[in-house]
Amino acid sequence: DAGVTQSPTHLIKTRGQQVTLRCSPKSGHDTVSWYQQALGQGPQFIFQYYEEEERQRGNFPDRFSGHQFPNYSSELNVNALLLGDSALYLCASSSRTGRAIETKNIQYFGAGTRLSVL
Amino acid sequence: AQSVTQLDSQVPVFEEAPVELRCNYSSSVSVYLFWYVQYPNQGLQLLLKYLSGSTLVKGINGFEAEFNKSQTSFHLRKPSVHISDTAEYFCAVRPNYGQNFVFGPGTRLSVLP
């Protein structure tokens, strides 16, 4: 059973460019959340997708957008890259369905995509 | 809004010694509590969680944590650490009505030989 997979593992871009990061959730999960982890800090919530819609959003500008596909996989897009966007981007999957409290309340993380903006 | 404080940014400890990593949170609603570990160049791995029931929860790799509602704390403990426990540890909370996690800034545990 594959866990959460993210691609690519590393990415180098220049200021002003656009980037797309991809995430496949753990089997059986229907919800994908994205986090940004700057060097030396804890992850910061960007947004969450469920049923192909953005359900919740953190304090990030509109340059950050996403998408969820019918197979529950997800993309994170960042436009007009800034130097400050350099970070590890983490994808987490979970399940909103199911009755068990554990099923609904645990997020499993991928290994992340390390984005460097030069 | 919720917030998480991890008072110690770095904790050095000798191998086989006990360790406690502190976590305090603030929230106006009930929360679920988690500890995640991050090894170098890797994602986050769930160590343990408090969702309900007993306030003392046991996790993987011999770690345990105790939820103290009155002190709004969820400190992580291990009676005897190993070199392999060297990693970054993150405390996180999730409000019981919402979906996103709020993470603390992390504690770097360094186990010395």
Side-chain angles (χ1 to χ4, degrees), chain B residues 11-87:
Chain B
V11 173
V13 62
F14 287 106
E15 192 174 17
E16 297 183 6
V19 70
E20 178 180 83
L21 306 183
R22 295 179 291 171
C23 172
N24 289 87
Y25 68 93
S26 65
S27 177
S28 58
V29 300
S30 297
V31 295
Y32 301 120
L33 297 153
F34 305 82
W35 276 98
Y36 281 85
V37 60
Q38 186 175 37
Y39 298 102
N41 301 313
Q42 294 188 26
L44 303 178
Q45 180 181 2
L46 180 65
L47 264 183
L48 48 76
K49 61 196 179 293
Y50 173 77
L51 303 178
S52 65
S54 172
T55 57
L56 181 64
V57 293
K58 295 187 182 299
I60 61 172
N61 301 339
F63 284 93
E64 65 179 31
E66 185 159 19
F67 169 51
N68 188 317
K69 188 174 182 179
S70 63
Q71 297 186 6
T72 60
S73 67
F74 191 53
H75 301 331
L76 180 70
R77 302 185 184 98
K78 186 171 182 178
S80 176
V81 295
H82 302 290
I83 296 288
S84 59
D85 292 324
T86 294

Side-chain angles (χ1 to χ4, degrees), chain A residues 31 33 35 37 40-45 48 56 88 90 94 96 101-102 104-112 114, chain B residues 32 34 36 38 41-46 49 51-52 88 90 94-106:
Chain A
T31 302
S33 302
Y35 293 81
Q37 186 181 15
Q41 297 182 25
Q44 299 291 317
F45 174 72
Q48 184 183 78
Q56 207 168 1
L88 179 68
L90 295 165
S94 56
R96 284 201 183 205
I101 188 173
E102 289 205 6
K104 290 185 176 180
N105 292 293
I106 297 176
Q107 289 191 349
Y108 294 87
F109 285 80
R114 172 95 37 207
Chain B
Y32 301 120
F34 305 82
Y36 281 85
Q38 186 175 37
N41 301 313
Q42 294 188 26
L44 303 178
Q45 180 181 2
L46 180 65
K49 61 196 179 293
L51 303 178
S52 65
E88 191 86 21
F90 294 96
R94 175 177 169 270
N96 61 4
Y97 65 85
Q99 290 291 322
N100 64 294
F101 282 42
V102 176
F103 284 86

Side-chain angles (χ1 to χ4, degrees), chain A residues 9-24:
Chain A
T9 54
H10 294 85
L11 208 49
I12 299 175
K13 293 287 187 179
T14 57
R15 281 179 298 175
Q17 284 189 312
Q18 178 265 343
V19 68
T20 298
L21 310 181
R22 296 176 176 82
C23 172
S24 292

